[in-house]
Amino acid sequence: MKASIAIDEFIAGRERGSHEQPTHYRHVLTFFGVYGRPAGRAIPIAAVVRLLAELDLEPPSVRSSISRLKAKGVLVSERSGSGSGYALAETLESHMRAGDQRIFSPRPMGIEDSWLLVSFSVPESERQHRHRIRAGLSRMGFGTVVAGLYIGPARLQPDAVEYIREHQLWDYVELFTCQPSAFGDLSAKVSRWWNLEALGSEYQDFVDSFQSQVAKWQRLVREGSATPRDAFRMYVPMLTQWRRLPFLDPGLPLELLPADWIGTHARRVFSDLHRLLSPLAADHVAQALNEQA
């Protein structure tokens, strides 16, 4: 169950509102998810604190987050060339690779692709398992047909199987792949199964925050005046805000989404900034680690 607890920390990062993780905690997760790879690669604690201080994160908050992540099994203590360090638990690597695919290069569902139905029934005396199933499926991007029946693209099956297996929930769950076989307005049903208005608002927040940065960084890169440090300061917060969205959005067919779906534009903004910022930010981290060695 240790691996399931660690994975749940990444899944829980998709919550907003009163359950949202603190900013410093989410940034530490992003930092290790990008620069502590492959899992098991130790990063000196002093370098982590120094780099995240550049994001205006207080060292005590960073150290507190690291301690909590260690207790949850996300991070493990390792010796590095310059002393103590931390690394992502190696058991998380397959989960992280699947996350990379969904965040950086998702494959949208085609209109002819199959769907995955997840049916579950939990006795009232074990209702804690019901909450765990609902929360996990929602955070993976499944929509709700009715209570006890969730739906998503069939390509989500590996994610669902991993989650059910890690949390030992197979006694309560059945999976079915299917195709729509009755007449009806599937677009209208999709709008009931998923809260597209709330998801669209999340995408709009991202666009409002970062759209103006695309032209700026295109100009800086073109002129050769883009600095790795500034790229790092922009990239980690941008990725932290983005990385939850591809899990709330299962990549539904465009034919079933509202016209001019804002998610398409938001994905373009993210892809442009990732392409511009990621190499420079990685250079900055590499330089900091070399100086720490």
Side-chain angles (χ1 to χ4, degrees), residues 182-204:
F183 293 102
D185 187 347
L186 191 54
S187 297
K189 293 176 181 178
V190 162
S191 295
R192 293 199 301 269
W193 298 338
W194 281 271
N195 189 339
L196 296 181
E197 182 177 351
L199 181 57
S201 178
E202 298 267 8
Y203 276 131
Q204 189 64 60

Side-chain angles (χ1 to χ4, degrees), residues 214-227 231 275-277 280:
V214 175
K216 171 187 172 180
W217 280 94
Q218 286 173 335
R219 176 178 56 79
L220 291 173
V221 170
R222 185 171 59 249
E223 294 173 351
S225 55
T227 67
R275 174 177 50 81
L276 292 163
L277 299 172
L280 289 166

